[in-house]
Amino acid sequence: RRWRIGPAALPYDDPAYVESVRAFAGNGLRPYAPAHLHARHSGGDVHLTWIRRTRLNGDSWIGPDVPLNEETERYTLRIRAAGEVVREEPLSAPAFTYTAADRTADGVSGVFTVEVAQVSALYGNGLWAVLSVAA
């Protein structure tokens, strides 16, 4: 986009105006962060679920879920322990089970952080939903 910035009282072609050309990163295409990221413990496993959000046609309360508005339903899930990413999983559904065996293999004990982003074919990872979970 081309922008001309200057005093409102002067015409836009006045020499006081400065022209700037800017390209934007397409943030209007970036998926929102998933909502209601939730962890439920069952035995030694942690079941994680969330609800997808949408930028388009998401205002209706008629259906059970908002429209996908993407080519496919995809998410990126990250597990962090002590600030470091110890696991990253591509997912095709809004759920993941972090098993006790996986936590042991990842060296995770105590509190860990879960991050989930919806993935857009045009934009990539959207905004992250974040949840701290006690193991």
Side-chain angles (χ1 to χ4, degrees):
R1 293 203 176 243
R2 249 184 222 303
W3 301 88
R4 293 203 39 91
I5 304 159
L10 298 176
Y12 71 91
D13 58 351
D14 188 278
Y17 273 73
V18 175
E19 186 169 304
S20 178
V21 177
R22 302 288 173 139
F24 295 93
N27 286 343
L29 301 173
R30 177 177 56 195
Y32 291 132
H36 306 291
L37 178 54
H38 178 73
R40 181 177 53 82
H41 293 271
S42 176
D45 299 342
V46 178
H47 301 283
L48 301 159
T49 58
W50 55 90
I51 297 173
R52 144 179 115 235
R53 294 171 65 201
T54 187
R55 284 190 171 271
L56 301 171
N57 302 318
D59 295 332
S60 173
W61 291 64
I62 295 171
D65 207 351
V66 296
L68 179 58
N69 291 317
E70 295 291 341
E71 293 175 10
T72 58
E73 186 168 10
R74 294 186 310 151
Y75 304 93
T76 300
L77 177 132
R78 289 182 184 156
I79 305 289
R80 289 184 185 269
E84 298 294 321
V85 175
V86 295
R87 179 174 293 264
E88 185 168 302
E89 297 281 341
L91 303 171
S92 60
F96 178 75
T97 299
Y98 196 30
T99 65
D102 287 341
R103 283 199 323 276
T104 300
D106 294 341
V108 173
S109 62
V111 177
F112 61 93
T113 302
V114 178
E115 301 173 341
V116 179
Q118 188 170 337
V119 179
S120 163
L122 294 174
Y123 189 89
N125 286 336
L127 297 170
W128 296 88
V130 180
L131 179 68
S132 291
V133 179

